[in-house]
Every structure is written in structure tokens, then in C-alpha cells.
Amino acid sequence: MNTPDSNSVNNFFLNLQDSLCRQLAECDGGAVFTEDKWQRENGGGGRSRVLKSGALFEQAGVNFSHVCGENLPPSASAHRPELAGCHYQAMGVSLVLHPQNPYVPTAHANVRFFVAEKDGCEPVWWFGGGFDLTPFYPFEEDAVHWHTVAKELCRPFGEEGYPRYKKWCDDYFYLKHRNEARGIGGLFFDDLNEPDFVQSFAFTRAVGNGFTQAYLPIVQKRRDTAYGERERQFQLYRRGRYAEFNLVWDRGTLFGLQSGGRTESILMSMPPLARWEYDYQPEENSPEAVLTRDFLIARDWV
């Protein structure tokens, strides 16, 4: 089947948001998600859920949105000029997790679906998404686990999937103005519509459901690690890099802002606290130096 079923995708995304919030709140153990339901003036709406000041997460956000419109914003039509003037639907779930403990990595994931239609033409549709990890004090065994889960969830869909989407993630989550990676990557895919709708949707579901399998074991292993002011300040410094990427390079942020999305929900991904330091240089061979030297580079983990 190659006719897109938007209702099935919408229902999966709603259930995925519920599942993720339930698992993350249970893992946190000290706070719950609050919800804002919102409507977009130009069509559509969403549910924004945020957990603050928990036992584990300083801030965690899990958003669902389903927006529609008559004209695509420039960020979406720039590489597909034939879609200019189409009416469209864009829906998805995105999450960003900012733990309090610097030894627990920041994590991001999203899955999304897009369909554009013109009278008298076949609809143009695709899926996108992925997940990536941003450690501050990284451990090789955690990176291996993260990428092993990513590789295994890709395997049923072909051996070529993991290396392709792993490289795409490395290339996408890269701060060109800093000449450094945002983290250790994971999976990233976009424009997925092959071989057909059924398989593309199945892969998207595997990525959405697979995130907690990759992330929560790392959380449980690191959440009780003792830390001090040095580690906290370095975490805030690295969060500054995270903010730079989201504001300068992230296509999802640009699409949301250019399409008149809800600003509070779009910028939910920003860390609650961050800092910048002019020309910071970590002490040679320190844990902070090891992060940049050994982890913020493209490498094969599995």
C-alpha cells in the first residue's frame, strides 16, 4: 500500500506521547508532566507536556503537534520547490530531556510525518525522525549500548539502514561554526517513503518505541553518580553548545517558527540553564578534554 493513512499515524503519535511520558515520569520518580493543549490559528494544534525540577530531570519535554496550512514555509519548500502552494499536514512527537546530574546524558528524539497535496495530484508524503545522545561525561560502554539498540531496531528493515542513518545523524547534528559534533549521534532519517507507506510507517514506529530501550538503561546506571560544582559548570557550558545548534542549524526549529507554530512548544528543547565562556580550554587529558577528543567525533561504536 502506498496511500498514506494520516489518521493511523496521528493515533500512533498520540499513544507514543502517552507512553513516553508515563515511562519518563516513572523513571524520574519525583515529578509529573503538566500539559498544555493548544490550537493554532492557521490550523491544527497540539499537546505540550513538560516536567520540571524532578528527582532526575531538571526539565523534560514531550510534545505532540499536528498542524496544517495552505502554503509551506521556506524551510520546507526550499529543497522541494514543486511543493510551493500545496496545502499540507505536519504531525509528530518530539522530546528533549535535560537531566540534573551531569553524568546522565541529555537526549533528544522525534518522529514526524508530512503530507502535501494539490488538487488533481497524488499526495506527496514522507516520514522523518531519529534519536541522538549528548553526554557531558561519556562512557564508552554507554555509547556502545546506545548504538547497539539503534542498529538492532534497524536490522529488520535491511542491513543498509543503520550505517546510512547513523552517518546522516553524525552529519546533521554537527555545529559547523564550531567544527564539532553535538554529541555521539544515533539515528537520523528524513524524506522516507520507500519502499511504501506500510514499511516506512513500521520503521518510524520502531524508532519511536525504541528510544527508551536505548536511553533508560544508561540513566539507571549513571543517575546516582556523585558530582560537584566542576561537573555542573561543565554541563552548563556544554548546554550552551546544545542551544547554539537548536537556534542556528535545526530544521525543525526553523520550520516551527516559520510556520507560525507555538513558540513555547518549539523552544521547549532549550535547556533551562546554560552558560557560555570565552575561549574555554579544558585541562589536557582531563575528563572534559576526553569528551571532545574521543567522543565528539564521528566513529563506529558497534
Side-chain angles (χ1 to χ4, degrees):
M1 183 183 99
N2 214 30
T3 302
D5 182 355
S6 299
N7 287 334
S8 292
V9 178
N10 184 78
N11 288 336
F12 167 71
F13 287 158
L14 286 168
N15 290 331
L16 178 64
Q17 185 193 33
D18 289 340
S19 174
L20 289 168
C21 289
R22 185 168 55 250
Q23 293 179 73
L24 293 169
E26 181 180 334
C27 182
D28 183 273
V32 297
F33 284 90
T34 59
E35 178 179 274
D36 280 332
K37 289 185 178 179
W38 52 274
Q39 295 294 318
R40 180 172 170 269
E41 184 176 342
N42 295 329
R47 308 188 306 197
S48 297
R49 294 177 178 171
V50 176
L51 180 157
K52 294 182 179 180
S53 303
L56 169 66
F57 296 113
E58 189 170 3
Q59 181 169 296
V62 185
N63 282 348
F64 164 80
S65 65
H66 183 174
V67 301
C68 51
E70 296 301 319
N71 290 290
L72 286 169
S75 62
S77 58
H79 67 302
R80 285 178 177 261
E82 73 276 12
L83 298 183
C86 289
H87 53 277
Y88 70 91
Q89 296 183 69
M91 63 187 79
V93 171
S94 63
L95 68 82
V96 178
L97 310 175
H98 293 291
Q100 178 77 38
N101 190 319
Y103 286 97
V104 181
T106 284
H108 159 261
N110 77 86
V111 281
R112 56 190 181 274
F113 177 67
F114 181 91
V115 58
E117 298 178 90
K118 251 183 193 176
D119 291 341
C121 300
E122 288 291 315
V124 176
W125 59 269
W126 65 83
F127 289 93
F131 50 66
D132 65 285
L133 196 70
T134 305
F136 308 110
Y137 288 91
F139 298 87
E140 185 142 346
E141 63 189 276
D142 295 350
V144 170
H145 164 78
W146 177 260
H147 279 272
T148 297
V149 173
K151 184 175 183 178
E152 289 304 311
L153 70 83
C154 289
R155 191 184 299 279
F157 303 92
E159 294 296 330
E160 73 285 353
Y162 171 72
R164 179 187 179 195
Y165 299 139
K166 189 261 185 196
K167 183 180 186 306
W168 204 339
C169 191
D170 289 339
D171 292 342
Y172 181 77
F173 291 104
Y174 191 81
L175 286 80
K176 300 178 182 68
H177 64 289
R178 296 285 191 180
N179 196 31
E180 68 181 30
R182 185 170 87 169
I184 63 165
L187 299 173
F188 180 87
F189 67 99
D190 207 358
D191 301 322
L192 178 66
N193 56 15
E194 295 179 347
D196 56 21
F197 174 82
V198 171
Q199 282 291 93
S200 299
F201 186 22
F203 178 69
T204 303
R205 293 197 303 271
V207 171
N209 291 324
F211 167 76
T212 52
Q213 301 169 35
Y215 185 61
L216 294 185
I218 297 173
V219 170
Q220 298 295 8
K221 191 178 293 185
R222 308 298 170 194
R223 64 182 301 166
D224 294 324
T225 305
Y227 68 92
E229 187 62 18
R230 169 177 171 160
E231 290 86 354
R232 175 64 168 167
Q233 289 301 313
F234 185 67
Q235 177 197 48
L236 298 181
Y237 169 73
R238 292 302 309 173
R239 282 181 178 178
R241 293 287 206 270
Y242 199 93
E244 288 179 22
F245 177 86
N246 282 13
L247 293 175
V248 176
W249 299 109
D250 185 60
R251 284 186 2 212
T253 302
L254 294 175
F255 175 86
L257 295 175
Q258 291 176 358
S259 62
R262 184 173 185 261
T263 301
E264 284 297 311
S265 299
I266 296 163
L267 297 183
M268 170 215 72
S269 62
M270 301 294 282
L273 293 172
R275 74 181 186 93
W276 282 260
E277 181 175 337
Y278 179 76
D279 197 27
Y280 168 78
Q281 300 295 329
E283 180 183 344
E284 187 176 359
N285 294 323
S286 66
E288 293 81 6
V290 168
L291 173 74
T292 302
R293 187 189 69 203
D294 297 343
F295 287 82
L296 299 187
I297 57 174
R299 46 181 289 200
D300 293 326
W301 295 100
V302 293

